Amino acid sequence: MKVAVVKYNAGNIFSVIHALQRMGVEPLLTDSAEELRSADRVIFPGQGEASNAMHYLREHGLDKIIPSLRQPVLGICIGQQLMCRHSEEGDVDCLGIFDAEVKRFIPVCHEDKIPHMGWNSIQNSKPSIWEGLDGEFVYFVHSYYVPLCEHTATVTEYIHPFSSAMQKDNFYATQFHPEKSGKVGQQILKNFLEMTT
Amino acid sequence: MLAKRIIPCLDVKDGQTVKGTNFLQLRQAGDPVELGKIYSSQGADELVFLDITASHEGRKTFTDMVQKVAAEIDIPFTVGGGISELADVERMLSAGADKISINSAALRRPELIDEIVSHFGSQVCVVAIDAQQDEKGTWTCYLNGGRIPTERGLFEWAKEVNDRGAGEILFTSMNHDGVKQGFACDALSQLASFLTIPVIASGGAGRMEDFRDVFAQGHADAALAASVFHFGQISIPELKEYLRKEKINIRI
């Protein structure tokens, strides 16, 4: 199986590569349209700031390539946010795969700390690569979130419920980091790699 | 709801883990990568690796270890010890660390916090504070692993660290460290009352009840311990079962 990881200016891409290697997969880190299109799976990971990331994606033509991919694509963290229509972070238009607006967490009480960082549970999972994982904890680090919408695939509660995973057609995304989420995260990555298409 | 975190801490010298009692004596306790893997499989929520080597060769060994940890372990980890400038942070993050922790360097030059935050984001910046309470009740911050007292008080320094944008504070009470009689819950609870960032409590873990108290009374977001885990006095799965029974929100 050929797994491509989208190469762009986001941090923490190597943790995804390590996670895949632990599962016996040697991924290809690339920003080439040809390589991305011919892969069996594409992972769009990262950590960083939305407007800088979008700027890089546009400069490299990735803003056209990613939404046009036909194989299963998995966005992680900022990857999920960039797959939405628009982000409040840097007030930037994003890839528009999910018709949703990325918003900044606003604390309601003293206990609401930003970023939302640590282990939180996923609920109401729709049948997909996260099926059967309701109540399991996964690792989050983020200050912006996607509100609940028609593409919400799992729900997590922090300050208020938000989309901790999303899905539309061949596009999958998680706000959390499966590559840092122990066994549960590994199960999600495994399900993504092994699903029938 | 966000779970409270249990964090084993591994002090690393020349590629081996060690643990000090009251910061002075050191005892041997194994290979850090193997130990980290065991903790991760037992349900540790994060790991902290502190480099207590002073030599240049030791630093290189530590960086190699960080790369190995990043490749083999699937939970977040923080590295600290000897980080004094942006280049050190860059080196640790490129080696695969999720967060770095700074201590003396931040007390000597607080702007380092702002620099790390603006370059790499607040979530990577953990500021460790070692403080001791005197008989009058005043908490003073210490440099160099608890060897040199400073002019800074715990609470005003913690507030400054918070306001400069650090992602977390790792507070070690030198009075409690190594004594195994419980965490500094009063000071922790006071910190939690005005800080807007998470606090990791360190120093004093001896019994499972100490962990319950540090969350329920100290309002800590995470609890860090070393020797109780390294020497098997407390096992993480048992501790987590116990905390869940005590109604602490914990990841199992």
Side-chain angles (χ1 to χ4, degrees):
Chain A
M1 170 174 289
K2 187 175 156 194
V3 179
V5 173
V6 180
K7 183 176 163 188
Y8 71 118
N9 62 335
N12 230 10
I13 285 181
F14 286 97
S15 63
V16 170
I17 292 179
H18 286 313
L20 293 166
Q21 286 168 338
R22 284 194 293 270
M23 298 167 69
V25 174
E26 195 51 59
L28 178 71
L29 180 63
T30 181
D31 58 4
S32 132
E34 205 179 309
E35 298 278 16
L36 291 170
R37 288 214 171 91
S38 66
D40 301 301
R41 298 285 185 277
V42 173
I43 298 185
F44 181 37
Q47 211 179 66
E49 197 272 335
S51 61
N52 282 329
M54 271 315 295
H55 184 74
Y56 184 99
L57 295 177
R58 284 202 188 97
E59 268 190 340
H60 292 75
L62 291 164
D63 61 319
K64 299 283 186 300
I65 297 161
I66 296 169
S68 72
L69 293 171
R70 293 280 166 256
Q71 69 276 57
V73 177
L74 175 66
I76 296 173
C77 193
I78 188 86
Q80 166 174 302
Q81 298 180 4
L82 295 174
M83 285 159 84
C84 294
R85 185 187 63 239
H86 180 267
S87 175
E88 281 185 4
E89 187 178 27
D91 185 21
V92 67
D93 285 333
C94 299
L95 301 175
I97 295 165
F98 301 123
D99 186 16
E101 162 88 16
V102 181
K103 295 186 164 298
R104 187 174 167 85
F105 276 124
I106 297 173
V108 189
C109 62
H110 177 68
E111 281 69 34
D112 299 336
K113 294 164 186 174
I114 316 291
H116 170 224
M117 183 177 58
W119 297 84
N120 206 333
S121 57
I122 53 176
Q123 307 289 347
N124 301 346
S125 42
K126 289 196 181 151
S128 180
I129 58 173
W130 20 75
E131 191 164 10
L133 297 175
D134 272 10
E136 296 285 359
F137 283 83
V138 288
Y139 189 76
F140 292 87
V141 187
H142 61 125
S143 301
Y144 291 79
Y145 70 96
V146 183
L148 300 184
C149 64
E150 60 175 314
H151 309 303
T152 303
T154 71
V155 178
T156 293
E157 180 98 29
Y158 189 68
I159 303 179
H160 41 67
F162 69 91
S163 302
S164 46
M166 303 174 78
Q167 194 205 336
K168 182 192 173 190
D169 307 325
N170 58 317
F171 293 98
Y172 300 75
T174 62
Q175 180 59 65
F176 53 87
H177 289 272
E179 76 280 13
K180 285 283 166 185
S181 296
K183 286 190 203 104
V184 175
Q186 193 182 1
Q187 186 63 51
I188 290 170
L189 289 174
K190 189 166 178 279
N191 293 346
F192 175 71
L193 296 179
E194 291 178 356
M195 74 176 136
T196 47
T197 52
Chain B
M1 215 169 88
L2 209 49
K4 300 288 189 183
R5 289 169 280 156
I6 300 293
I7 309 178
C9 176
L10 295 86
D11 288 354
V12 180
K13 190 177 186 198
D14 301 321
Q16 290 287 311
T17 55
V18 285
K19 169 61 191 171
T21 302
N22 275 338
F23 281 53
L24 292 171
Q25 296 154 301
L26 299 174
R27 288 165 74 184
Q28 204 72 2
D31 171 16
V33 182
E34 287 309 310
L35 203 50
K37 268 200 220 169
I38 293 168
Y39 288 139
S40 163
S41 68
Q42 288 183 340
D45 298 303
E46 280 184 42
L47 298 169
V48 170
F49 294 88
L50 287 183
D51 181 14
I52 58 165
T53 319
S55 68
H56 186 71
E57 302 77 53
R59 288 282 149 70
K60 171 81 176 63
T61 312
F62 188 74
T63 310
D64 294 344
M65 186 216 73
V66 172
Q67 280 172 340
K68 235 178 134 191
V69 171
E72 298 189 21
I73 294 180
D74 58 4
I75 58 171
F77 70 100
T78 301
V79 298
I83 294 174
S84 56
E85 51 184 38
L86 274 186
D88 299 324
V89 179
E90 168 89 63
R91 183 164 46 91
M92 286 298 139
L93 296 178
S94 324
D98 297 284
K99 312 178 195 178
I100 56 86
S101 113
I102 50 172
N103 191 335
S104 304
L107 276 163
R108 291 203 180 93
R109 202 172 66 82
E111 298 75 28
L112 179 61
I113 301 170
D114 311 55
E115 292 165 14
I116 294 171
V117 169
S118 73
H119 276 81
F120 305 106
S122 68
Q123 78 282 352
V124 311
C125 184
V126 180
V127 176
I129 304 178
D130 298 332
Q132 191 166 45
Q133 189 178 32
D134 64 20
E135 53 290 354
K136 286 182 213 138
T138 309
W139 284 94
T140 304
C141 298
Y142 277 67
L143 287 169
N144 293 21
R147 287 185 206 96
I148 306 170
T150 67
E151 303 288 299
R152 308 294 305 251
L154 166 63
F155 299 108
E156 51 108 2
W157 173 234
K159 177 82 172 78
E160 180 173 339
V161 166
N162 185 104
D163 296 347
R164 284 184 183 272
E168 282 175 292
I169 287 177
L170 165 52
F171 163 53
T172 302
S173 160
M174 293 167 58
N175 303 68
H176 296 74
D177 195 59
V179 183
K180 304 195 177 194
Q181 298 285 320
F183 293 89
C185 289
D186 291 343
L188 284 160
S189 164
Q190 209 174 324
L191 285 170
S193 71
F194 66 88
L195 294 176
T196 58
I197 59 176
V199 176
I200 304 165
S202 156
R207 305 166 308 149
M208 296 206 283
E209 290 83 350
D210 299 332
F211 287 88
R212 174 197 61 200
D213 296 346
V214 78
F215 296 130
Q217 294 162 28
H219 304 289
D221 297 277
L224 178 143
S227 55
V228 289
F229 298 138
H230 300 336
F231 297 110
Q233 284 145 314
I234 294 179
S235 87
I236 294 173
E238 255 183 283
L239 173 62
K240 289 192 139 186
E241 285 296 339
Y242 165 80
L243 290 172
R244 181 164 275 190
K245 275 196 205 107
E246 294 289 322
K247 306 273 186 281
I248 306 288
N249 186 39
I250 212 92
R251 172 182 77 112
I252 290 190

